[in-house]
Amino acid sequence: MVLDSLGSSLKSTLKKIASAVLVDDSLLDESIKEIQRSLLSADCDVQLVLDLSERIKKRFKEEKAPAILSQKERLVNIVYEELTSLLGGEKEEIKIEKRKPFKIMLVGLFGAGKTTAAGKLAFYYKKRGYKVAMLGLDTFRPKAREQLKQNADNSGVDCFIDVKEKNPVKVYNKFKNDLSSYDIVLIDTAGRNALDKELIKELRDINDAASPNETLLVITADIGKSAREQAEAFADNSNIRGVMITKLDGTAKAGGALAACTVAKAKIKFVGVGEKKEDLESFNPKGFVGRLLGMGDLEALLEKASEAVSEEDAKDIQKRMLSGKFNLVDLYEQMSAMRKMGPLSKVLEMVPGMGQLNISKDQLQVQEEKLKKWRHIMDSMTKKELENPDEISVSRIERIAKGSGASTAEVRELLKQYEKSKKMIKLLKGGDPERLMKKFQGAMKRGF
Ligand code: GDP
Ligand code: MG
């Protein structure tokens, strides 16, 4: 797999965090050291790694903890977020404009993977319904044009080459009209051993003639952190808009190369992960880091983090639950507040000892429906009834049912729930969370 060793070492750190009893300073330091080691052996720049460690530490110590996340979960989430921003943060895609043709020019040094990238991108965009052509402007290296033609055939797109002409601008002008009927034209250009004057001039001339909509710098991942210098050199001397990093499949240094381009302010748009035409991925830092860390395990946590409520909100609910006074108004308010806070299962995790409850989606759905009905029922009660639910008589139950469009059984169920909640709160105050948990579990299984 791509970035195998980086992925597995980061995963093992996260596992250690997840299985720790508590997150203290020594676990935090140890985890950060492990992350540093992983990133450094992926050839990430030392300063970048130190900055990232500092941010993780600072955030963990200073950020207010959302009550829904445990300390461990919070640490894992911070690590995930910081690694994501190390690799570029938000995804930025190439937007294909309708005006034909949309020209994507591939530039880079010898062997970077430009010609291969042309084939991959052709296949990628063809699959998405675009009419794609390739244009061979690498007139420098012998056989470069034939190689491009082969890749075009392999991807099933048209290819324009002139095997005799030495001047790339002349080749462009020759085919300019033919290209106008395509949605996307992929322009292959020549490389050199380094970005020298000759290459700079050649790329400028092509750029002036063809004015590409997007110029992608193609860089191999195996140069690790020195991708930064290369990206910056190209950025200074040509108008690259983004980067494609190739050969992620064959090197342990890919992490360093990805991070380096981000510092060079060169957005990574694609990555190459093999030699075949399918081996291309549109680069999305979030998804990439997610997979690196084992998304299956992370997904639920990230969802939870994004829904997390503030500590105050949570404290408020706990306080109310623990306060002596408890009538239907409180129940109503509690229920509404819980609803605002998201799924009941998450709210329960804030109560000591309740985090392990396993409540199914169906059970929660039933609970939601009930909440809605109870709201109508309570709306039909007088203030006195709400404050003294124990004194509601049979005839009053009938009246309330009529007024709310519910059945008398449903009104009774609400009153029963009130009784149960009252008992549960007593248990909670008595500090017997185990018994409470069993009760809650039973109540949830029955749909309250
Ligand atoms: P160019 O000189 O920039 O046009 O580079 P080429 O497209 O000719 O590629 C140089 C070599 O790298 C070829 O042997 C490709 O098969 C190989 N290559 C390109 N992209 C990848 C990739 O993502 N993974 C692997 N493993 N090899 C690649
Ligand atoms: Mg080439």
Side-chain angles (χ1 to χ4, degrees):
M1 201 206 97
V2 171
L3 269 65
D4 234 348
S5 63
L6 178 60
S8 62
S9 65
L10 288 172
K11 259 187 257 183
S12 99
T13 305
L14 294 193
K15 229 182 233 161
K16 218 179 266 178
I17 297 173
S19 60
V21 181
L22 85 164
V23 183
D24 54 11
D25 280 354
S26 84
L27 178 73
L28 181 63
D29 288 342
E30 196 188 317
S31 309
I32 287 176
K33 272 204 195 98
E34 283 185 22
I35 292 167
Q36 289 177 339
R37 269 200 296 273
S38 308
L39 292 173
L40 289 174
S41 51
D43 202 42
C44 277
D45 175 76
V46 177
Q47 195 54 50
L48 282 186
V49 173
L50 291 178
D51 291 347
L52 175 117
S53 319
E54 239 357 86
R55 275 198 308 276
I56 292 177
K57 203 173 205 168
K58 194 163 166 342
R59 284 187 59 188
F60 187 73
K61 295 211 171 219
E62 292 177 10
E63 269 177 16
K64 264 186 122 190
I68 260 176
L69 292 186
S70 69
Q71 291 292 79
K72 291 190 241 179
E73 289 171 330
R74 201 162 68 81
L75 181 55
V76 171
N77 191 49
I78 290 173
V79 170
Y80 162 80
E81 285 180 356
E82 288 302 329
L83 286 173
T84 304
S85 79
L86 181 74
L87 297 192
E90 288 303 316
K91 175 178 182 167
E92 217 177 87
E93 267 184 329
I94 296 178
K95 286 196 187 72
I96 306 294
E97 290 156 26
K98 288 237 171 67
R99 207 161 39 89
K100 282 184 190 179
F102 187 87
K103 286 164 274 182
I104 303 175
M105 176 156 121
L106 300 161
V107 305
L109 303 182
F110 275 149
K114 299 177 292 297
T115 308
T116 309
K120 290 174 179 177
L121 288 169
F123 184 69
Y124 177 90
Y125 284 120
K126 189 188 162 206
K127 259 198 313 198
R128 284 161 178 75
Y130 292 102
K131 191 179 170 204
V132 183
M134 286 186 192
L135 174 65
L137 299 193
D138 180 356
T139 55
F140 186 79
R141 226 191 60 192
K143 301 284 173 204
R145 286 162 275 197
E146 286 85 346
Q147 185 198 351
L148 187 75
K149 175 80 172 71
Q150 249 175 25
N151 289 354
D153 290 346
N154 189 28
S155 295
V157 304
D158 294 337
C159 187
F160 296 85
I161 51 171
D162 180 331
V163 287
K164 294 211 186 80
E165 180 56 63
K166 285 277 175 210
N167 181 338
V169 172
K170 282 194 180 151
V171 180
Y172 175 76
N173 288 329
K174 176 178 174 183
F175 293 119
K176 199 175 160 189
N177 285 337
D178 298 307
L179 295 170
S180 62
S181 69
Y182 292 87
D183 298 321
I184 296 175
V185 173
L186 299 163
I187 303 175
D188 188 35
T189 65
R192 298 290 188 281
N193 283 322
L195 182 60
D196 55 21
K197 281 200 183 110
E198 195 182 76
L199 181 56
I200 293 173
K201 177 166 187 323
E202 183 173 322
L203 294 179
R204 279 206 183 134
D205 291 345
I206 297 175
N207 184 67
D208 292 346
S211 38
N213 304 71
E214 179 85 33
T215 302
L216 271 185
L217 169 63
V218 183
I219 301 188
T220 53
D222 49 27
I223 61 169
K225 58 174 173 271
S226 45
R228 177 177 182 169
E229 286 145 46
Q230 209 181 106
E232 279 173 346
F234 272 90
D236 289 344
N237 292 292
S238 66
N239 63 341
I240 55 163
R241 296 271 303 269
V243 176
M244 169 158 171
I245 304 208
T246 60
K247 309 184 194 177
L248 247 65
D249 51 311
T251 171
K253 291 185 172 183
L258 293 168
C261 287
T262 305
V263 204
K265 302 241 171 351
K267 271 280 184 186
I268 301 162
K269 306 273 171 76
F270 288 98
V271 290
V273 295
E275 290 187 278
K276 296 197 297 295
K277 63 178 188 292
E278 305 81 13
D279 297 333
L280 176 80
E281 289 177 14
S282 163
F283 188 66
N284 173 13
K286 284 183 183 168
F288 192 84
V289 173
R291 257 187 307 157
L292 204 59
L293 303 181
M295 197 58 187
D297 315 329
L298 262 185
E299 210 158 23
L301 165 64
L302 299 178
E303 194 181 306
K304 195 165 149 184
S306 70
E307 286 171 12
V309 288
S310 75
E311 202 166 8
E312 275 93 87
D313 269 2
K315 282 226 177 86
D316 212 31
I317 299 265
Q318 284 192 19
K319 207 164 77 196
R320 284 217 293 263
M321 281 180 90
L322 292 168
S323 79
K325 180 177 139 268
F326 186 77
N327 57 32
L328 271 177
V329 182
D330 297 310
L331 179 67
Y332 182 86
E333 275 181 9
Q334 259 177 31
M335 290 284 178
S336 316
M338 281 184 175
R339 236 190 120 214
K340 202 178 75 191
M341 291 171 64
L344 192 57
S345 61
K346 290 180 182 167
V347 179
L348 292 180
E349 282 169 19
M350 293 179 296
V351 183
M354 305 283 289
Q356 305 90 316
L357 271 185
N358 254 333
I359 297 158
S360 76
K361 269 209 174 107
D362 282 356
Q363 288 161 350
L364 287 168
Q365 178 76 33
V366 169
Q367 199 271 339
E368 287 274 290
E369 297 284 311
K370 274 197 179 151
L371 192 61
K372 229 188 272 167
K373 191 151 266 170
W374 289 348
R375 206 190 186 104
H376 290 309
I377 296 175
M378 291 193 224
D379 284 340
S380 296
M381 290 183 181
T382 64
K383 190 166 177 282
K384 206 173 156 223
E385 285 162 352
L386 285 170
E387 284 171 357
N388 305 287
D390 304 296
E391 293 164 23
I392 297 175
S393 66
V394 177
S395 66
R396 276 172 181 252
I397 287 178
E398 273 164 13
R399 196 217 75 229
I400 293 164
K402 241 186 222 152
S404 62
S407 68
T408 52
E410 283 165 337
V411 178
R412 280 206 186 86
E413 197 191 2
L414 168 62
L415 295 175
K416 234 191 251 160
Q417 174 57 38
Y418 159 71
E419 283 301 326
K420 270 193 226 158
S421 299
K422 213 162 79 172
K423 273 186 205 144
M424 279 196 261
I425 280 163
K426 260 191 205 141
L427 282 176
L428 197 60
K429 279 174 76 185
D432 189 353
E434 217 155 279
R435 239 182 102 201
L436 178 68
M437 197 160 109
K438 279 199 189 112
K439 287 234 164 200
F440 239 125
Q441 214 150 16
M444 286 307 304
K445 293 249 159 73
R446 290 187 299 271
F448 252 108

